[in-house]
């Protein structure tokens, strides 16, 4: 991994206003958990509503989308990516550095509040299970959204469509589509690692593990391949 | 000695041809890339810099293709047309990051040298989003020069610079060319090109309209009469004598001297001393008045 690119990427990410959008989400997650516990909501209901509905289905994909499309997409939009591309660095190494930053930031921003919320609801094993599942999910989502930011001009829109329409709607109605839903891989990992009976998905642990690896590797490979043929359009002259 | 070579290069977007069958070789020295807006200069520069694939033909640096070949950037420095920089970095951090991305053994020394070259040492610790347009441009040039490239491509490098900065950049390009680097810059301001470089590549409607020293290009335009401004000890007498010469197409007598339209550059310049001598007229001034780059350019564009 190229540390200079990772350093520039992290500085750029933390310096953008878009990054501030990440702050309220973990706070909301922990706040809603605290409110639910204060009103004696049943742990199973709270786990489903907060950990799955809010954490896995909303906070994790949204944080990953904001960060994953921001690490390279913003540089492509404003043209600064040329400074990195006009260097003798294999494109795969550029993508790996971007992915490392995106996945790390998304993982920390989601795993920490998920651990806190899970521990508050059902103990540290539940919290740790969700935190580790979010780390795996952050990696797969980041690779997916990073690839979208190089392959398309509308990565945020397409990412939102994937999260809201595909994962939020279709994969909950049609069981067969869950094998291509990162959300269901995360649910399977969380269920497995926490040992909890509260969470169910039709995706097996083996499929979830293989598909997480496939999404991560395919996203990284596609992004690197596209970046090798990155063109700058002639604008005015 | 590093050559940038384009052979039969074309680029089209759908049915629109942006660059049409351009062949040129750029060697050491400074070359100006000229052309009206929309002529294809930037498209050509992007292909040279490896940021656009030619639809046909090849762009190579010392035989290696520039497209899909990141290793080429060891020899190539680029200052492109978009002025975007990492505003959250200081100028020094920006140039140093470039040095490190090039894998230079002593990134700090290379950074100091490059920043000194563009005279930005005093402002190097400020964030780049506090820089003026000209300062950002100079830091971008420093970042492009930090690895001491043999080929330097600059798209409109004088944009946003004040006259002093512009003069300094011109001197810098001159010295880089004199050191044996291949420097190509585009500009829409003819005076800039005229001051920096005698050698031009003129692009009109996607085609290479002319190539070489612009004064030589002008002399090769035999279908256009050459215009000379002459002052002498007796303008009227000289005008009469010149009209008798077959090399002269027309003479205008004004209060500031004669304006002579000559059909052929060589024949006229050889005939004038003889005619003046025969008439006993002393020629005080002889200036080819349409050999400026502006005249050459307007002739090429309107051709």
């Amino acid at each position: 991994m190229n540390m200079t690119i990772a350093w520039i990427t992290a500085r750029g990410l933390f310096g953008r206003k878009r990054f501030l959008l990440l702050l309220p989400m973990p706070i909301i997650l922990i706040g809603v958990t605290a409110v639910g516990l204060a009103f004696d909501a049943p742990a199973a209901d709270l786990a489903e509503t907060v950990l799955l509905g809010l954490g896995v289905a909303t906070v994790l994909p949204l944080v990953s989308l904001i960060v994953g499309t921001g690490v390279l997409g913003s540089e492509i939009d404003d043209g600064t990516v040329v400074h990195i591309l006009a260097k003798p660095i294999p494109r795969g190494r550029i993508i790996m550095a971007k992915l490392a930053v995106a996945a790390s930031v998304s993982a920390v921003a989601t795993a920490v509040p998920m651990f806190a919320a899970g521990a508050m609801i059902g103990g540290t094993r539940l919290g740790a299970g969700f935190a580790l599942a979010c780390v795996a999910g952050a990696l797969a989502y980041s690779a997916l959204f990073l690839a979208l930011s190089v392959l398309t001009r509308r990565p945020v829109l397409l990412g939102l469509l994937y999260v809201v329409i595909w994962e939020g709607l279709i994969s909950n109605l049609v069981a067969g589509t869950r094998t291509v839903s990162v959300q269901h891989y995360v649910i399977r990992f969380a269920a497995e690692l926490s040992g909890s009976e509260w969470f169910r998905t039709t995706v097996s642990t083996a499929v979830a593990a293989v598909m997480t690896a496939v999404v991560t590797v395919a996203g990284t490979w596609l992004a690197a391949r596209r970046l090798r043929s990155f063109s700058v359009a002639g604008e005015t002259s | 000695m590093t050559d940038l070579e384009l052979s039969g290069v074309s680029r089209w977007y759908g049915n629109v041809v942006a660059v049409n069958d351009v062949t040129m070789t750029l060697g050491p020295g400074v070359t100006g890339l000229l052309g009206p807006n929309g002529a294809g200069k930037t498209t050509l520069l992007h292909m040279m810099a490896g940021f656009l694939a030619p639809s046909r033909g090849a762009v190579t640096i010392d035989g290696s293709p520039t497209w899909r070949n990141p290793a080429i950037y060891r020899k190539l420095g680029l200052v492109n047309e978009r002025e975007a920089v990492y505003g959250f970095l200081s100028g020094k951090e920006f140039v140093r990051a470039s040095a490190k991305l090039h894998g230079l053994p002593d990134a700090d020394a290379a950074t100091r040298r490059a920043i000194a070259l563009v005279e930005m040492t005093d402002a190097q610790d400020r964030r780049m989003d506090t820089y003026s347009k000209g300062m950002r441009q100079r830091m971008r040039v420093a970042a492009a020069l930090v690895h001491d490239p043999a080929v330097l491509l600059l798209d409109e490098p004088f944009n946003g610079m004040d006259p002093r900065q512009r003069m300094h950049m011109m001197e810098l390009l001159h010295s880089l060319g004199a050191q044996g680097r291949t420097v190509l810059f585009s500009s829409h301001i003819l005076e800039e090109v005229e001051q920096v470089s005698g050698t031009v590549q003129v692009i009109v409607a996607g085609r290479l309209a002319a190539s070489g020293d612009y004064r030589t290009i002008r002399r090769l335009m035999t279908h256009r009469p050459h215009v000379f401004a002459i002052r002498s000890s007796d303008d009227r007498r000289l005008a009469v004598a010149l009209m008798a010469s077959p090399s002269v197409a027309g003479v205008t007598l004004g209060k500031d001297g004669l304006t002579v339209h000559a059909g052929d550059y060589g024949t006229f310049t050889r005939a004038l001393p003889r005619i003046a001598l025969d008439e006993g007229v002393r020629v005080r001034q002889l200036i080819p008045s349409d050999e400026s780059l502006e005249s050459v350019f307007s002739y090429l564009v309107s051709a």
Side-chain angles (χ1 to χ4, degrees), chain B residues 33-76:
Chain B
L33 183 64
L34 266 178
N37 278 343
K41 300 191 299 289
T42 296
T43 303
L44 202 60
L45 265 165
H46 284 158
M47 287 193 283
M48 290 176 183
F51 279 101
L52 197 59
S55 303
R56 184 182 291 163
V59 184
T60 56
I61 292 179
D62 285 345
S64 305
T66 57
W67 176 241
R68 281 191 189 158
N69 184 11
I72 212 73
Y73 297 112
R74 291 188 200 287
K75 291 182 181 174
L76 179 71

Side-chain angles (χ1 to χ4, degrees), chain A residues 60 64 132-142 182 186 189 212:
Chain A
L60 173 63
S64 304
L132 288 172
C134 280
V135 171
L139 182 62
Y141 274 128
S142 299
V182 176
V186 176
F189 292 143
T212 300

Side-chain angles (χ1 to χ4, degrees), chain B residues 88-146:
Chain B
F88 49 85
L89 297 182
S90 70
K92 187 177 171 183
E93 287 173 330
F94 177 64
V95 179
R96 192 168 181 278
S98 270
K100 290 183 86 174
L101 290 173
H102 277 291
L104 301 182
D106 191 348
D108 288 325
T111 303
R112 273 195 302 277
R113 182 188 55 80
I115 291 176
L117 213 54
V118 297
E119 293 185 343
M120 282 290 286
T121 307
D122 290 345
Q124 63 179 349
D125 293 318
R126 272 170 52 192
R127 275 173 64 112
M128 291 185 81
D129 51 12
T130 66
Y131 283 175
S132 70
K133 205 171 172 183
M135 292 166 90
R136 277 202 296 275
Q137 189 76 322
R138 284 192 284 162
M139 270 308 185
R140 292 170 69 222
V141 173
L145 285 173
V146 76

Side-chain angles (χ1 to χ4, degrees), chain A residues 2 4-5 7 11-12 75 77-80 83-89 91 228-233 236-237, chain B residues 38 40-42 46 51-52 67-68 70 73-74 81-82 84-86 88-89 93-94 97-98 100-102:
Chain A
N2 188 301
T4 307
I5 293 176
W7 172 74
R11 290 275 306 263
E75 290 183 31
D77 287 345
D78 66 19
T80 48
H83 296 300
I84 287 179
L85 292 179
K87 303 290 182 293
I89 302 167
R91 282 17 186 169
R228 268 191 278 276
S229 308
F230 184 83
S231 294
V232 178
T236 52
S237 55
Chain B
K41 300 191 299 289
T42 296
H46 284 158
F51 279 101
L52 197 59
W67 176 241
R68 281 191 189 158
Y73 297 112
R74 291 188 200 287
E81 144 198 65
R82 288 185 73 172
V85 289
Y86 299 110
F88 49 85
L89 297 182
E93 287 173 330
F94 177 64
S98 270
K100 290 183 86 174
L101 290 173
H102 277 291

